[in-house]
Amino acid sequence: MALAAFTEITRDNLRYWQTRLAAASHPERPALEAHAQGLQRAMAFGLQQESNREEALSLALQLAPLIDARGDWLDWTDLFEEARRTALAQGHPLATALHNRLGSLYKSCYRHDDARRAHQAALELSRRSGDLQEEVNALLGLSELEHLRHRYEQAESLARRALQRCREGNLEDTRLAAAHNLLGMIAHNRGDYEEAEKRYRRAIDIWRRLDAGRHCAYALSNLALTLQSQRRLDEALEAIETARPLFEASGAWLSVVNSQLSLGTIHFLRREYSQALLAFSAIDWLKLERLGYEEPLGWTTNNLGNAHLKLGNYTEAAEYLEYSAALWRSLGDGVALGNTIGALAEAYAGAGQPQAALQRFEEAIALLAEHPENAWAGDRKARLQAQKEALERKARA
Amino acid sequence: MPHGCGRVRTGATFIPGAESLYNIRVRIRSQTTADDLYRPVRDALNAWHKSGRQGALDFLEIVRDRVQRLPEKDRPGALRLKTNEVLLEAIEQLEGEDPDGAAILRRRFLDRQTVLAVAHRHSLDKRSLMRRQEAAIRALASDILARERGLRLEQRRRFEAGLPSAQYSRLFGVRGAAEKLRARLLSPDPPWLAALTGMGGIGKTALAHFVVRDLFDELGPDGVFWLTAAPAGAHSQEAHFERRYLSLLGELARRLDVQAVRPEDRQERVRRALKASSSLVVIDNLESEAEVAWLCERLPELAGPARFLLTSRSLPPVSAEVHTLPLEELPYDDAAALIRFHSSSVGKESLAIRTEKDIRAVYAATGGNPLAIKLVVGLATRLPLPQALQGLERGQDGSVEEMYRRIYARAWQALPPDARRLLLSMPLAADQGGEPAQLIAASGLDEAGFWQAVSELVSRSLLHTQGDAASRRYSIHPLTRTFLHSLILQQDERDGSGSLH
């Protein structure tokens, strides 16, 4: 037991932060970035004191969605790990929820194996304790991890189980929406756009009903991608335009990054390349890099590279695309890498370096060929193949 | 030379070895009058149609700043163009106050009319014209000087905005160290890395701030990048160092306007920019020996002629090419001056420590450690000096850590309950300081009690004020944090019955 007065101070400090987080209106939330160290100290001292553990664990759960929204995961994983250990050691009922939150943090940090272990542990604990909500959370977490590995069959099976458990428990909440959203993503990647659209719209309806703006915005962005794939660009733009204020109102900077990426992509598909470049350039990608957000950084640099490519700025294009490719390599995402290398091939072709271009075309095609389960990868491969053949014909001529 | 003019920021582009120009610059920043500028302005007007440097007002920031903004700043005639621009603006200004004077200058220097022709045009004899012309040039010089001062003031504000707020009102016993550091930072020779080292509380940050703040003229408004090292946090050591280094590069790239997509390209561009500049990068408060060693390996890639100044309790590795400036405890005379000054500043004048005997007693207890002196003097504002010093005698083998432990313990014992309560809340505040709302909530004090406690702790050097007039934050020295942690742990090891009362 620590100094009695300090224990009281730690408790009052924890309550101060709990109240402040609960009261913070969305636009103020980014300001909490300035208080990260204060919050970490509140949690760390609280976890060390027996009488304050409950409050510290509650603060951890309160903070988790905020950390997730602003994406400052790296700074928090160790502390959440400690919170999980503390909760487990005490057999605290919050242990299951902390496993799931930690799983999400690990997933966001690209520590997929750690994330899988955390969600798996949450799944087992929740089944033992009959905690249906955390069981669904664990199933959704595991499904998402399979989806990230492009293992759509396994991802679908887990998401359907989550959906089933929601129905059994009459869970008409954000989990149900998340399950539909996830099934939409899986359908989209398989090229089943009709099913994807149906799922996304159900997720959007539920999240709208729950007034969960940021989540709704994500589903709208996903819907926009599906609509883009069907070349229904006006509808896609409408979805993005609906999502943007929701993202912005959530105060979650990373959400706005995603929205900006979607907006730029729509301009890109409409061949409004300067506007696309403007939208992508509005993203503070150095901040993404500094904070270690490799996936959105990979997309941002890929998109910047593509916009420059279409504007004929081949040197800039190659610079961004090479960086994006390096990120995909480090993340081990073969589909994204194949796509980016394909664009790099186009940049080299545009810059009058046919040999380098052909080499990149071959590399991209080989990478995309490894993912027959991904419909989009298949389309992209076919288009790159055609471009490669055209370049070869030109070279021969 | 008093200020090491070899590193004047403008470099060879604008100062072709003309010492007189340097002297003019020196006078401009201190007591220059419009009279001092009369000749250079007249010469500049005379050279209006010349293409070379002759007569260019290249010692003025208002001219150099405009040249720097030109896309092709090195092209021939750039200096003349911008000198004329400044002169023309001054003439236009003069038109409102003295239209005849402005017209005379235009005709004489811009239109190259003879004295006789202009005198005739203005119905003046030759001598009267010359007098009118001289008065107009003096008015021009006066206007240019006012604008130069305005720009310098704005640049000075920009420069200072990049530095942390000073945590001292006056420094004692630093003249020698300050001169050495200043000379090192202005030396045209390697090594390009300098480290200010010394025990906790010795005043490394204060000295670095004091010296760097005075380098405005040499480094220019954008020539200093001050970065305060954050605590290591939850990351692994190597990952933490890498992240900090990446962040440092990103910040330098942004401020040097040399962005690049890939980190390796960015590093290269930052390196090239720093190679072409004489900027100073300060990395303050490095905690660990390992990080100092890690940085000493990486920074030489970026340094030269740009300099890096590190402040740390740890010495750099012997093998590193770093100029190390160890800060020692204050000698008696300086410590005595600090004791007298601080004692008069924080307590009642009648209670100030003045006698040789008392000063010697404080010195014996604290050595020449400035923070320790301030803490003991703060203590003596509440207790009679003998009681304040009781148990603080520094034995032959007494370590600095032990000295601080005893001083803090005594300071803690002498605090009123509310001040203790607030101080005990401080480990929960961020390094950059806690806001009053958080500290009031955590300490459980009412607002009046809180502000009273703040005042008490600030006067005893146990609390630092940060922020600006509109918003305040309160922080503690790392040594105070260490003491509070040990206090909390100590109680933890006992039975937890520790009380504040």
Side-chain angles (χ1 to χ4, degrees), chain A residues 34-38 41, chain B residues 167 228-233 285 287 426-434 438 464 466 473-478 481 485:
Chain A
H35 301 295
Q37 196 183 41
R41 285 188 171 152
Chain B
Q167 294 295 335
T228 300
N285 197 27
E287 280 180 354
M426 292 311 295
L428 293 161
D431 288 341
Q432 299 92 329
Q438 182 204 350
H464 300 309
Q466 315 237 11
R473 296 189 315 277
Y474 296 96
S475 63
I476 49 177
H477 192 277
R481 186 176 295 281
H485 280 191

PDB file of all heavy atoms in Angstrom, chain A residues 34-38 41, chain B residues 167 228-233 285 287 426-434 438 464 466 473-478 481 485:
ATOM      1  N   ALA A  34      -2.387  16.204 -26.083  1.00  0.00           N
ATOM      2  CA  ALA A  34      -1.428  16.946 -25.267  1.00  0.00           C
ATOM      3  C   ALA A  34      -1.336  16.365 -23.862  1.00  0.00           C
ATOM      4  O   ALA A  34      -0.426  16.687 -23.116  1.00  0.00           O
ATOM      5  CB  ALA A  34      -1.838  18.411 -25.197  1.00  0.00           C
ATOM      6  N   HIS A  35      -2.308  15.524 -23.492  1.00  0.00           N
ATOM      7  CA  HIS A  35      -2.337  15.011 -22.122  1.00  0.00           C
ATOM      8  C   HIS A  35      -1.962  13.540 -22.037  1.00  0.00           C
ATOM      9  O   HIS A  35      -2.195  12.913 -21.004  1.00  0.00           O
ATOM     10  CB  HIS A  35      -3.725  15.227 -21.520  1.00  0.00           C
ATOM     11  CG  HIS A  35      -4.135  16.657 -21.494  1.00  0.00           C
ATOM     12  ND1 HIS A  35      -3.475  17.588 -20.733  1.00  0.00           N
ATOM     13  CD2 HIS A  35      -5.092  17.326 -22.163  1.00  0.00           C
ATOM     14  CE1 HIS A  35      -4.031  18.769 -20.926  1.00  0.00           C
ATOM     15  NE2 HIS A  35      -4.999  18.634 -21.793  1.00  0.00           N
ATOM     16  N   ALA A  36      -1.420  13.009 -23.111  1.00  0.00           N
ATOM     17  CA  ALA A  36      -1.136  11.566 -23.137  1.00  0.00           C
ATOM     18  C   ALA A  36      -0.266  11.164 -21.949  1.00  0.00           C
ATOM     19  O   ALA A  36      -0.550  10.172 -21.277  1.00  0.00           O
ATOM     20  CB  ALA A  36      -0.469  11.190 -24.448  1.00  0.00           C
ATOM     21  N   GLN A  37       0.776  11.943 -21.682  1.00  0.00           N
ATOM     22  CA  GLN A  37       1.676  11.551 -20.600  1.00  0.00           C
ATOM     23  C   GLN A  37       0.981  11.611 -19.242  1.00  0.00           C
ATOM     24  O   GLN A  37       1.181  10.732 -18.395  1.00  0.00           O
ATOM     25  CB  GLN A  37       2.914  12.460 -20.591  1.00  0.00           C
ATOM     26  CG  GLN A  37       4.036  11.881 -19.772  1.00  0.00           C
ATOM     27  CD  GLN A  37       5.219  12.825 -19.713  1.00  0.00           C
ATOM     28  OE1 GLN A  37       5.073  14.024 -19.567  1.00  0.00           O
ATOM     29  NE2 GLN A  37       6.409  12.269 -19.828  1.00  0.00           N
ATOM     30  N   GLY A  38       0.141  12.605 -19.041  1.00  0.00           N
ATOM     31  CA  GLY A  38      -0.614  12.706 -17.796  1.00  0.00           C
ATOM     32  C   GLY A  38      -1.547  11.517 -17.619  1.00  0.00           C
ATOM     33  O   GLY A  38      -1.664  10.955 -16.527  1.00  0.00           O
ATOM     34  N   ARG A  41       0.457   8.421 -16.805  1.00  0.00           N
ATOM     35  CA  ARG A  41       0.894   8.407 -15.401  1.00  0.00           C
ATOM     36  C   ARG A  41      -0.277   8.071 -14.479  1.00  0.00           C
ATOM     37  O   ARG A  41      -0.102   7.359 -13.493  1.00  0.00           O
ATOM     38  CB  ARG A  41       1.516   9.756 -15.032  1.00  0.00           C
ATOM     39  CG  ARG A  41       2.890   9.884 -15.640  1.00  0.00           C
ATOM     40  CD  ARG A  41       3.666  11.086 -15.198  1.00  0.00           C
ATOM     41  NE  ARG A  41       5.030  10.933 -15.702  1.00  0.00           N
ATOM     42  CZ  ARG A  41       5.835  11.938 -15.981  1.00  0.00           C
ATOM     43  NH1 ARG A  41       5.449  13.174 -15.791  1.00  0.00           N
ATOM     44  NH2 ARG A  41       7.058  11.699 -16.435  1.00  0.00           N
TER      45      ARG A  41
ATOM     46  N   GLN B 167      13.873  29.430 -17.022  1.00  0.00           N
ATOM     47  CA  GLN B 167      13.507  29.068 -15.644  1.00  0.00           C
ATOM     48  C   GLN B 167      14.438  29.764 -14.646  1.00  0.00           C
ATOM     49  O   GLN B 167      14.663  29.253 -13.557  1.00  0.00           O
ATOM     50  CB  GLN B 167      13.572  27.550 -15.460  1.00  0.00           C
ATOM     51  CG  GLN B 167      12.554  26.777 -16.252  1.00  0.00           C
ATOM     52  CD  GLN B 167      11.113  27.058 -15.817  1.00  0.00           C
ATOM     53  OE1 GLN B 167      10.867  27.451 -14.691  1.00  0.00           O
ATOM     54  NE2 GLN B 167      10.176  26.875 -16.726  1.00  0.00           N
ATOM     55  N   THR B 228      13.564  19.345 -26.750  1.00  0.00           N
ATOM     56  CA  THR B 228      13.704  18.801 -25.398  1.00  0.00           C
ATOM     57  C   THR B 228      13.445  17.313 -25.459  1.00  0.00           C
ATOM     58  O   THR B 228      12.401  16.884 -25.952  1.00  0.00           O
ATOM     59  CB  THR B 228      12.714  19.483 -24.437  1.00  0.00           C
ATOM     60  OG1 THR B 228      13.008  20.878 -24.435  1.00  0.00           O
ATOM     61  CG2 THR B 228      12.862  18.942 -23.029  1.00  0.00           C
ATOM     62  N   ALA B 229      14.402  16.551 -24.965  1.00  0.00           N
ATOM     63  CA  ALA B 229      14.268  15.104 -25.025  1.00  0.00           C
ATOM     64  C   ALA B 229      13.114  14.654 -24.138  1.00  0.00           C
ATOM     65  O   ALA B 229      13.000  15.087 -22.999  1.00  0.00           O
ATOM     66  CB  ALA B 229      15.563  14.454 -24.574  1.00  0.00           C
ATOM     67  N   ALA B 230      12.274  13.790 -24.708  1.00  0.00           N
ATOM     68  CA  ALA B 230      11.140  13.264 -23.932  1.00  0.00           C
ATOM     69  C   ALA B 230      11.622  12.066 -23.126  1.00  0.00           C
ATOM     70  O   ALA B 230      12.638  11.466 -23.456  1.00  0.00           O
ATOM     71  CB  ALA B 230      10.036  12.849 -24.880  1.00  0.00           C
ATOM     72  N   PRO B 231      10.897  11.718 -22.074  1.00  0.00           N
ATOM     73  CA  PRO B 231      11.321  10.526 -21.329  1.00  0.00           C
ATOM     74  C   PRO B 231      11.204   9.274 -22.186  1.00  0.00           C
ATOM     75  O   PRO B 231      10.434   9.245 -23.153  1.00  0.00           O
ATOM     76  CB  PRO B 231      10.332  10.463 -20.165  1.00  0.00           C
ATOM     77  CG  PRO B 231       9.180  11.291 -20.570  1.00  0.00           C
ATOM     78  CD  PRO B 231       9.687  12.310 -21.520  1.00  0.00           C
ATOM     79  N   ALA B 232      11.951   8.253 -21.826  1.00  0.00           N
ATOM     80  CA  ALA B 232      12.036   7.062 -22.673  1.00  0.00           C
ATOM     81  C   ALA B 232      10.695   6.374 -22.873  1.00  0.00           C
ATOM     82  O   ALA B 232      10.458   5.759 -23.882  1.00  0.00           O
ATOM     83  CB  ALA B 232      13.029   6.078 -22.064  1.00  0.00           C
ATOM     84  N   GLY B 233       9.778   6.484 -21.938  1.00  0.00           N
ATOM     85  CA  GLY B 233       8.453   5.904 -22.109  1.00  0.00           C
ATOM     86  C   GLY B 233       8.496   4.393 -22.149  1.00  0.00           C
ATOM     87  O   GLY B 233       9.390   3.750 -21.610  1.00  0.00           O
ATOM     88  N   ASN B 285      18.395  17.807 -22.176  1.00  0.00           N
ATOM     89  CA  ASN B 285      17.929  16.886 -21.143  1.00  0.00           C
ATOM     90  C   ASN B 285      17.900  15.429 -21.588  1.00  0.00           C
ATOM     91  O   ASN B 285      16.902  14.729 -21.415  1.00  0.00           O
ATOM     92  CB  ASN B 285      16.527  17.326 -20.672  1.00  0.00           C
ATOM     93  CG  ASN B 285      16.146  16.701 -19.364  1.00  0.00           C
ATOM     94  OD1 ASN B 285      17.022  16.361 -18.559  1.00  0.00           O
ATOM     95  ND2 ASN B 285      14.861  16.523 -19.140  1.00  0.00           N
ATOM     96  N   GLU B 287      18.456  11.766 -21.089  1.00  0.00           N
ATOM     97  CA  GLU B 287      18.469  11.079 -19.802  1.00  0.00           C
ATOM     98  C   GLU B 287      19.591  10.062 -19.650  1.00  0.00           C
ATOM     99  O   GLU B 287      20.251   9.981 -18.643  1.00  0.00           O
ATOM    100  CB  GLU B 287      17.137  10.345 -19.610  1.00  0.00           C
ATOM    101  CG  GLU B 287      16.031  11.258 -19.141  1.00  0.00           C
ATOM    102  CD  GLU B 287      14.731  10.516 -18.961  1.00  0.00           C
ATOM    103  OE1 GLU B 287      14.668   9.327 -19.299  1.00  0.00           O
ATOM    104  OE2 GLU B 287      13.791  11.151 -18.489  1.00  0.00           O
ATOM    105  N   MET B 426       2.322  16.139  -7.897  1.00  0.00           N
ATOM    106  CA  MET B 426       3.100  16.461  -9.084  1.00  0.00           C
ATOM    107  C   MET B 426       3.641  15.254  -9.871  1.00  0.00           C
ATOM    108  O   MET B 426       3.792  15.348 -11.077  1.00  0.00           O
ATOM    109  CB  MET B 426       4.247  17.431  -8.734  1.00  0.00           C
ATOM    110  CG  MET B 426       3.800  18.816  -8.332  1.00  0.00           C
ATOM    111  SD  MET B 426       2.598  19.564  -9.448  1.00  0.00           S
ATOM    112  CE  MET B 426       3.581  19.717 -10.944  1.00  0.00           C
ATOM    113  N   PRO B 427       3.946  14.123  -9.246  1.00  0.00           N
ATOM    114  CA  PRO B 427       4.387  12.989 -10.078  1.00  0.00           C
ATOM    115  C   PRO B 427       3.337  12.557 -11.096  1.00  0.00           C
ATOM    116  O   PRO B 427       3.649  11.884 -12.075  1.00  0.00           O
ATOM    117  CB  PRO B 427       4.627  11.878  -9.047  1.00  0.00           C
ATOM    118  CG  PRO B 427       4.925  12.586  -7.777  1.00  0.00           C
ATOM    119  CD  PRO B 427       4.077  13.827  -7.818  1.00  0.00           C
ATOM    120  N   LEU B 428       2.087  12.955 -10.870  1.00  0.00           N
ATOM    121  CA  LEU B 428       1.022  12.579 -11.799  1.00  0.00           C
ATOM    122  C   LEU B 428       0.908  13.566 -12.960  1.00  0.00           C
ATOM    123  O   LEU B 428       0.172  13.316 -13.916  1.00  0.00           O
ATOM    124  CB  LEU B 428      -0.311  12.503 -11.051  1.00  0.00           C
ATOM    125  CG  LEU B 428      -0.383  11.365 -10.032  1.00  0.00           C
ATOM    126  CD1 LEU B 428      -1.484  11.614  -9.022  1.00  0.00           C
ATOM    127  CD2 LEU B 428      -0.596  10.041 -10.730  1.00  0.00           C
ATOM    128  N   ALA B 429       1.601  14.673 -12.865  1.00  0.00           N
ATOM    129  CA  ALA B 429       1.536  15.659 -13.947  1.00  0.00           C
ATOM    130  C   ALA B 429       2.546  15.299 -15.028  1.00  0.00           C
ATOM    131  O   ALA B 429       3.544  14.630 -14.768  1.00  0.00           O
ATOM    132  CB  ALA B 429       1.852  17.048 -13.393  1.00  0.00           C
ATOM    133  N   ALA B 430       2.257  15.734 -16.240  1.00  0.00           N
ATOM    134  CA  ALA B 430       3.176  15.475 -17.354  1.00  0.00           C
ATOM    135  C   ALA B 430       4.454  16.297 -17.173  1.00  0.00           C
ATOM    136  O   ALA B 430       4.462  17.267 -16.404  1.00  0.00           O
ATOM    137  CB  ALA B 430       2.504  15.857 -18.658  1.00  0.00           C
ATOM    138  N   ASP B 431       5.506  15.902 -17.885  1.00  0.00           N
ATOM    139  CA  ASP B 431       6.760  16.657 -17.782  1.00  0.00           C
ATOM    140  C   ASP B 431       6.583  18.116 -18.197  1.00  0.00           C
ATOM    141  O   ASP B 431       7.242  19.000 -17.681  1.00  0.00           O
ATOM    142  CB  ASP B 431       7.844  16.020 -18.666  1.00  0.00           C
ATOM    143  CG  ASP B 431       8.320  14.708 -18.080  1.00  0.00           C
ATOM    144  OD1 ASP B 431       8.103  14.492 -16.867  1.00  0.00           O
ATOM    145  OD2 ASP B 431       8.889  13.890 -18.821  1.00  0.00           O
ATOM    146  N   GLN B 432       5.697  18.318 -19.172  1.00  0.00           N
ATOM    147  CA  GLN B 432       5.480  19.706 -19.633  1.00  0.00           C
ATOM    148  C   GLN B 432       4.643  20.490 -18.647  1.00  0.00           C
ATOM    149  O   GLN B 432       4.373  21.667 -18.851  1.00  0.00           O
ATOM    150  CB  GLN B 432       4.770  19.742 -20.995  1.00  0.00           C
ATOM    151  CG  GLN B 432       5.524  19.079 -22.107  1.00  0.00           C
ATOM    152  CD  GLN B 432       5.116  17.617 -22.240  1.00  0.00           C
ATOM    153  OE1 GLN B 432       4.766  16.954 -21.265  1.00  0.00           O
ATOM    154  NE2 GLN B 432       5.193  17.103 -23.446  1.00  0.00           N
ATOM    155  N   GLY B 433       4.205  19.835 -17.598  1.00  0.00           N
ATOM    156  CA  GLY B 433       3.444  20.540 -16.566  1.00  0.00           C
ATOM    157  C   GLY B 433       2.001  20.097 -16.522  1.00  0.00           C
ATOM    158  O   GLY B 433       1.461  19.617 -17.507  1.00  0.00           O
ATOM    159  N   GLY B 434       1.403  20.256 -15.349  1.00  0.00           N
ATOM    160  CA  GLY B 434      -0.008  19.933 -15.189  1.00  0.00           C
ATOM    161  C   GLY B 434      -0.819  21.212 -15.186  1.00  0.00           C
ATOM    162  O   GLY B 434      -0.344  22.264 -14.739  1.00  0.00           O
ATOM    163  N   GLN B 438      -6.362  20.015 -13.310  1.00  0.00           N
ATOM    164  CA  GLN B 438      -5.964  18.647 -12.942  1.00  0.00           C
ATOM    165  C   GLN B 438      -5.373  18.641 -11.531  1.00  0.00           C
ATOM    166  O   GLN B 438      -5.699  17.785 -10.703  1.00  0.00           O
ATOM    167  CB  GLN B 438      -4.927  18.090 -13.921  1.00  0.00           C
ATOM    168  CG  GLN B 438      -4.528  16.652 -13.597  1.00  0.00           C
ATOM    169  CD  GLN B 438      -3.151  16.250 -14.119  1.00  0.00           C
ATOM    170  OE1 GLN B 438      -2.537  16.971 -14.897  1.00  0.00           O
ATOM    171  NE2 GLN B 438      -2.668  15.105 -13.691  1.00  0.00           N
ATOM    172  N   HIS B 464       7.884  24.782 -10.877  1.00  0.00           N
ATOM    173  CA  HIS B 464       8.214  25.725 -11.956  1.00  0.00           C
ATOM    174  C   HIS B 464       6.930  26.125 -12.673  1.00  0.00           C
ATOM    175  O   HIS B 464       6.041  25.310 -12.848  1.00  0.00           O
ATOM    176  CB  HIS B 464       9.153  25.087 -12.975  1.00  0.00           C
ATOM    177  CG  HIS B 464      10.446  24.646 -12.380  1.00  0.00           C
ATOM    178  ND1 HIS B 464      11.225  25.471 -11.615  1.00  0.00           N
ATOM    179  CD2 HIS B 464      11.086  23.460 -12.423  1.00  0.00           C
ATOM    180  CE1 HIS B 464      12.300  24.811 -11.220  1.00  0.00           C
ATOM    181  NE2 HIS B 464      12.228  23.577 -11.694  1.00  0.00           N
ATOM    182  N   GLN B 466       5.136  27.323 -16.104  1.00  0.00           N
ATOM    183  CA  GLN B 466       5.295  27.280 -17.560  1.00  0.00           C
ATOM    184  C   GLN B 466       4.092  27.946 -18.202  1.00  0.00           C
ATOM    185  O   GLN B 466       3.133  28.250 -17.527  1.00  0.00           O
ATOM    186  CB  GLN B 466       5.350  25.822 -18.041  1.00  0.00           C
ATOM    187  CG  GLN B 466       6.240  24.950 -17.217  1.00  0.00           C
ATOM    188  CD  GLN B 466       7.316  24.285 -18.040  1.00  0.00           C
ATOM    189  OE1 GLN B 466       7.521  24.620 -19.178  1.00  0.00           O
ATOM    190  NE2 GLN B 466       8.007  23.346 -17.448  1.00  0.00           N
ATOM    191  N   ARG B 473       0.894  26.236 -16.614  1.00  0.00           N
ATOM    192  CA  ARG B 473       1.076  24.838 -16.245  1.00  0.00           C
ATOM    193  C   ARG B 473       2.185  24.806 -15.201  1.00  0.00           C
ATOM    194  O   ARG B 473       3.043  25.697 -15.169  1.00  0.00           O
ATOM    195  CB  ARG B 473       1.488  23.988 -17.464  1.00  0.00           C
ATOM    196  CG  ARG B 473       0.440  23.919 -18.541  1.00  0.00           C
ATOM    197  CD  ARG B 473       0.819  22.891 -19.614  1.00  0.00           C
ATOM    198  NE  ARG B 473       2.200  22.973 -20.037  1.00  0.00           N
ATOM    199  CZ  ARG B 473       2.663  23.806 -20.940  1.00  0.00           C
ATOM    200  NH1 ARG B 473       1.838  24.627 -21.547  1.00  0.00           N
ATOM    201  NH2 ARG B 473       3.945  23.808 -21.260  1.00  0.00           N
ATOM    202  N   TYR B 474       2.161  23.781 -14.389  1.00  0.00           N
ATOM    203  CA  TYR B 474       3.150  23.699 -13.319  1.00  0.00           C
ATOM    204  C   TYR B 474       3.902  22.379 -13.413  1.00  0.00           C
ATOM    205  O   TYR B 474       3.295  21.326 -13.617  1.00  0.00           O
ATOM    206  CB  TYR B 474       2.459  23.864 -11.960  1.00  0.00           C
ATOM    207  CG  TYR B 474       1.859  25.238 -11.855  1.00  0.00           C
ATOM    208  CD1 TYR B 474       0.525  25.456 -12.164  1.00  0.00           C
ATOM    209  CD2 TYR B 474       2.658  26.324 -11.536  1.00  0.00           C
ATOM    210  CE1 TYR B 474      -0.009  26.734 -12.138  1.00  0.00           C
ATOM    211  CE2 TYR B 474       2.136  27.608 -11.509  1.00  0.00           C
ATOM    212  CZ  TYR B 474       0.805  27.813 -11.815  1.00  0.00           C
ATOM    213  OH  TYR B 474       0.295  29.082 -11.803  1.00  0.00           O
ATOM    214  N   SER B 475       5.206  22.485 -13.277  1.00  0.00           N
ATOM    215  CA  SER B 475       6.033  21.275 -13.419  1.00  0.00           C
ATOM    216  C   SER B 475       7.080  21.246 -12.311  1.00  0.00           C
ATOM    217  O   SER B 475       7.236  22.217 -11.563  1.00  0.00           O
ATOM    218  CB  SER B 475       6.725  21.279 -14.792  1.00  0.00           C
ATOM    219  OG  SER B 475       7.586  22.388 -14.872  1.00  0.00           O
ATOM    220  N   ILE B 476       7.794  20.134 -12.255  1.00  0.00           N
ATOM    221  CA  ILE B 476       8.839  20.003 -11.229  1.00  0.00           C
ATOM    222  C   ILE B 476      10.156  19.617 -11.896  1.00  0.00           C
ATOM    223  O   ILE B 476      10.163  19.061 -13.007  1.00  0.00           O
ATOM    224  CB  ILE B 476       8.464  18.945 -10.148  1.00  0.00           C
ATOM    225  CG1 ILE B 476       7.991  17.636 -10.793  1.00  0.00           C
ATOM    226  CG2 ILE B 476       7.442  19.488  -9.192  1.00  0.00           C
ATOM    227  CD1 ILE B 476       7.673  16.532  -9.791  1.00  0.00           C
ATOM    228  N   HIS B 477      11.228  19.897 -11.230  1.00  0.00           N
ATOM    229  CA  HIS B 477      12.556  19.520 -11.708  1.00  0.00           C
ATOM    230  C   HIS B 477      12.675  17.991 -11.643  1.00  0.00           C
ATOM    231  O   HIS B 477      12.093  17.371 -10.747  1.00  0.00           O
ATOM    232  CB  HIS B 477      13.616  20.181 -10.814  1.00  0.00           C
ATOM    233  CG  HIS B 477      15.001  20.093 -11.369  1.00  0.00           C
ATOM    234  ND1 HIS B 477      15.790  18.976 -11.207  1.00  0.00           N
ATOM    235  CD2 HIS B 477      15.740  20.975 -12.097  1.00  0.00           C
ATOM    236  CE1 HIS B 477      16.954  19.188 -11.797  1.00  0.00           C
ATOM    237  NE2 HIS B 477      16.947  20.394 -12.346  1.00  0.00           N
ATOM    238  N   PRO B 478      13.422  17.375 -12.575  1.00  0.00           N
ATOM    239  CA  PRO B 478      13.575  15.915 -12.525  1.00  0.00           C
ATOM    240  C   PRO B 478      14.071  15.411 -11.164  1.00  0.00           C
ATOM    241  O   PRO B 478      13.687  14.329 -10.721  1.00  0.00           O
ATOM    242  CB  PRO B 478      14.607  15.618 -13.614  1.00  0.00           C
ATOM    243  CG  PRO B 478      14.484  16.754 -14.566  1.00  0.00           C
ATOM    244  CD  PRO B 478      14.063  17.942 -13.755  1.00  0.00           C
ATOM    245  N   ARG B 481      11.197  15.209  -8.862  1.00  0.00           N
ATOM    246  CA  ARG B 481      10.408  14.026  -9.200  1.00  0.00           C
ATOM    247  C   ARG B 481      11.037  12.773  -8.586  1.00  0.00           C
ATOM    248  O   ARG B 481      10.355  11.931  -8.004  1.00  0.00           O
ATOM    249  CB  ARG B 481      10.332  13.886 -10.738  1.00  0.00           C
ATOM    250  CG  ARG B 481       9.418  12.766 -11.217  1.00  0.00           C
ATOM    251  CD  ARG B 481       9.316  12.752 -12.744  1.00  0.00           C
ATOM    252  NE  ARG B 481       8.682  13.951 -13.272  1.00  0.00           N
ATOM    253  CZ  ARG B 481       7.359  14.165 -13.275  1.00  0.00           C
ATOM    254  NH1 ARG B 481       6.554  13.247 -12.827  1.00  0.00           N
ATOM    255  NH2 ARG B 481       6.856  15.284 -13.753  1.00  0.00           N
ATOM    256  N   HIS B 485       9.229  10.310  -5.939  1.00  0.00           N
ATOM    257  CA  HIS B 485       9.084   8.867  -6.191  1.00  0.00           C
ATOM    258  C   HIS B 485       9.655   8.067  -5.018  1.00  0.00           C
ATOM    259  O   HIS B 485       9.049   7.099  -4.572  1.00  0.00           O
ATOM    260  CB  HIS B 485       9.790   8.481  -7.488  1.00  0.00           C
ATOM    261  CG  HIS B 485       8.976   8.809  -8.701  1.00  0.00           C
ATOM    262  ND1 HIS B 485       9.284   8.370  -9.955  1.00  0.00           N
ATOM    263  CD2 HIS B 485       7.854   9.533  -8.834  1.00  0.00           C
ATOM    264  CE1 HIS B 485       8.393   8.815 -10.808  1.00  0.00           C
ATOM    265  NE2 HIS B 485       7.511   9.529 -10.157  1.00  0.00           N
TER     266      HIS B 485
END
